[in-house]
Amino acid sequence: MSSTVLVINSGSSSIKYQLVDPASGESLASGLVERIGESEGHVKHRAGSETTELHDPVPDHANGMRTVLGLFEKVGPVLADANIVAVGHRVVQGGEYYDGPVLVDDEVVGVIDRLSPVAPLHNPPNLTGIRVARELLPDVPHVAVFDTAFFRNLPAPAATYALNREVAERYKVRRYGAHGTSHQYVSARAAELVGGDSANLRQIVLHLGNGASASAVVGAHAVDTSMGLTPLEGLVMGTRTGDIDPAVVFHLARNAGMSIDEIDDLLNKRSGMKGLTGHNDLRQVHRLAESGDEAATLAVEVYAHRLRKYIGAYAAVMGGLDVLSFTAGVGENDTIVRARAVAGLEFLGVEIDEARNEARSKEARFISPDGARVAVLVVPTNEELAIARQAVSLL
Ligand code: ADP
């Protein structure tokens, strides 16, 4: 039987997992544990057409992982028969250390831990997942796949903030990026789809989920990306501001009496589409806009305006543009956002075909007209498969 990889994405109060066949790309089982540490937990395990749900409390990550392993045992597929060759862990921040996947050992665990100050919301729970999984599955290699790895070798002018050099160096302040696994996967799929020699292909990938980021990719290398020291910078997101004048922070601290933690919470969790409209889900925002809500109409324009700015900027960074790809929840599904984002960009050779943009499909596809100067694509992302393949590539 073919080999499989168990992919784990451990968050602060959740564990997402998927058992993947890296060769065929087939997902053999997937699921999630939510509300870890709360009075009622939620576990959902999908195997084939069967879905199992539990609502018992899940006190901690170790308990959650044990429940998941129990479900594999009880509902299947039985892991002992699944020929697992690796456990792949999603880790958000690999700092300056990793530009690719790495076999987890105690030293790697130490580095991920030391990087926690630049990813306080993500690295600690990622690490908890790694610790628990290593304990429960000690006989398989564990591989860490970093969200930042694809951007580790960004050209210095793109990675460097114009911040006092000593301060930047001492506190490791630079652009690390995020969503790298998705940007790498989607840009590689897009190059395949477009065909021909991809060595100098100039691509922009727009990963638009609840978190959102843009990247500029030449050949197989990222040359710029919109997320920075943390995933707060760049595009307008579900609950994050994206780019904002840093002086807003001083202004609010001085004049609104807000603490740093309150401003952190405001910019990360109470802004973006949610802050503008009350909803982070674009589907609800569009519904409001259709019903005549002016704030929602403006919010969609703010979202699209930011996208257009980044497309223009990255085309300039690369000296032109060959491929523009949309991916993730919004990018794959939202016809309105896609149309607004590229409106007026005909001067760059960017156009979309209305019928192609409206057509619904789960497949990677062109939405630009035949013969257009820039290939505009929708490419469903698959971070789990990308992590599984990277894990196997290392072994
Ligand atoms: P995450 O960043 O949490 O992984 P996803 O990539 O799954 O998120 O994207 C989730 C977001 O995708 C939702 O918040 C919603 O805004 C958007 N979305 C999902 N389906 C649609 C749809 N059919 N139309 C518009 N937006 C959608």
Side-chain angles (χ1 to χ4, degrees):
M1 103 170 261
S2 55
S3 51
T4 62
V5 175
L6 180 62
V7 177
I8 295 177
N9 181 355
S10 174
S12 57
S13 64
S14 70
I15 303 170
K16 287 187 200 153
Y17 61 92
Q18 201 171 125
L19 186 68
V20 185
D21 178 339
S24 69
E26 191 188 350
S27 165
L28 302 163
S30 65
L32 92 161
V33 182
E34 288 177 295
R35 303 203 277 273
I36 297 176
E38 292 180 30
S39 56
E40 187 181 301
H42 178 223
V43 182
K44 193 170 183 174
H45 180 80
R46 276 191 224 92
S49 57
E50 199 174 336
T51 302
T52 311
E53 293 197 60
L54 307 172
H55 295 278
D56 306 323
V58 183
D60 53 32
H61 284 71
N63 201 283
M65 267 312 290
R66 262 188 231 111
T67 306
V68 170
L69 296 181
L71 283 168
F72 272 109
E73 208 52 46
K74 219 164 83 193
V75 191
V78 176
L79 290 183
D81 303 331
N83 194 20
I84 298 188
V85 292
V87 179
H89 294 272
R90 179 188 185 207
V91 182
V92 165
Q93 182 57 262
E96 298 162 310
Y97 296 89
Y98 305 111
D99 62 2
V102 62
L103 210 55
V104 176
D105 56 17
D106 293 344
E107 194 186 319
V108 172
V109 165
V111 172
I112 297 172
D113 193 25
R114 282 206 298 286
L115 289 169
S116 289
V118 277
L121 303 177
H122 297 103
N123 271 30
N126 295 161
L127 205 48
T128 306
I130 290 178
R131 287 199 172 113
V132 166
R134 280 177 91 200
E135 243 171 70
L136 296 176
L137 299 164
D139 302 324
V140 222
H142 289 250
V143 176
V145 177
F146 298 91
D147 252 27
T148 50
F150 188 50
F151 303 118
R152 166 64 187 83
N153 298 314
L154 279 185
T160 308
Y161 289 116
L163 180 69
N164 178 284
R165 233 169 90 179
E166 269 173 45
V167 172
E169 273 168 21
R170 179 162 338 140
Y171 295 99
K172 310 269 181 230
V173 182
R174 55 158 273 174
R175 185 184 302 284
Y176 293 106
H179 292 147
T181 310
S182 177
H183 285 277
Q184 187 171 17
Y185 175 84
V186 168
S187 54
R189 273 293 284 135
E192 254 173 39
L193 229 70
V194 171
D197 180 12
S198 62
N200 297 308
L201 199 65
R202 297 162 299 187
Q203 302 197 45
I204 293 174
V205 177
L206 301 173
H207 175 111
L208 311 178
N210 216 355
S213 59
S215 68
V217 179
V218 179
H221 303 287
V223 296
D224 210 341
T225 194
S226 61
M227 283 180 167
L229 174 76
T230 76
L232 179 57
E233 195 180 347
L235 303 177
V236 177
M237 312 187 207
T239 64
R240 300 182 202 134
T241 55
D243 293 337
I244 193 167
D245 183 345
V248 170
V249 176
F250 324 138
H251 176 71
L252 293 177
R254 290 183 188 128
N255 298 300
M258 294 176 80
S259 70
I260 286 297
D261 286 339
E262 283 168 341
I263 301 173
D264 190 331
D265 185 71
L266 174 72
L267 268 50
N268 272 297
K269 300 193 181 144
R270 295 197 287 128
S271 296
M273 296 312 263
K274 189 175 176 94
L276 290 171
T277 70
H279 300 279
N280 62 303
D281 191 314
L282 261 295
R283 286 166 290 198
Q284 274 165 303
V285 178
H286 290 312
R287 252 175 249 135
L288 277 179
E290 276 156 28
S291 72
D293 185 300
E294 283 178 19
T297 305
L298 174 63
V300 175
E301 288 306 327
V302 173
Y303 191 96
H305 178 82
R306 189 78 54 86
L307 285 171
R308 274 198 298 275
K309 258 168 68 163
Y310 270 92
I311 295 169
Y314 286 175
V317 163
M318 296 187 288
L321 180 63
D322 303 306
V323 186
L324 171 66
S325 298
F326 288 91
T327 193
V330 179
E332 290 167 30
N333 297 298
D334 195 323
T335 55
I336 300 173
V337 160
R338 290 197 300 251
R340 299 272 168 87
V342 303
L345 296 183
E346 294 81 5
F347 77 100
L348 277 176
V350 176
E351 321 168 46
I352 58 177
D353 176 281
E354 206 181 310
R356 287 182 179 176
N357 185 39
E358 296 287 337
R360 306 209 67 86
S361 163
K362 293 261 170 241
E363 301 298 319
R365 59 200 183 272
F366 284 77
I367 56 169
S368 45
D370 291 338
R373 194 142 52 91
V374 175
V376 184
L377 310 176
V378 174
V379 180
T381 192
N382 191 338
E383 286 170 283
E384 288 78 15
L385 176 60
I387 289 172
R389 289 195 171 148
Q390 288 198 33
V392 167
S393 76
L394 196 69
L395 300 175

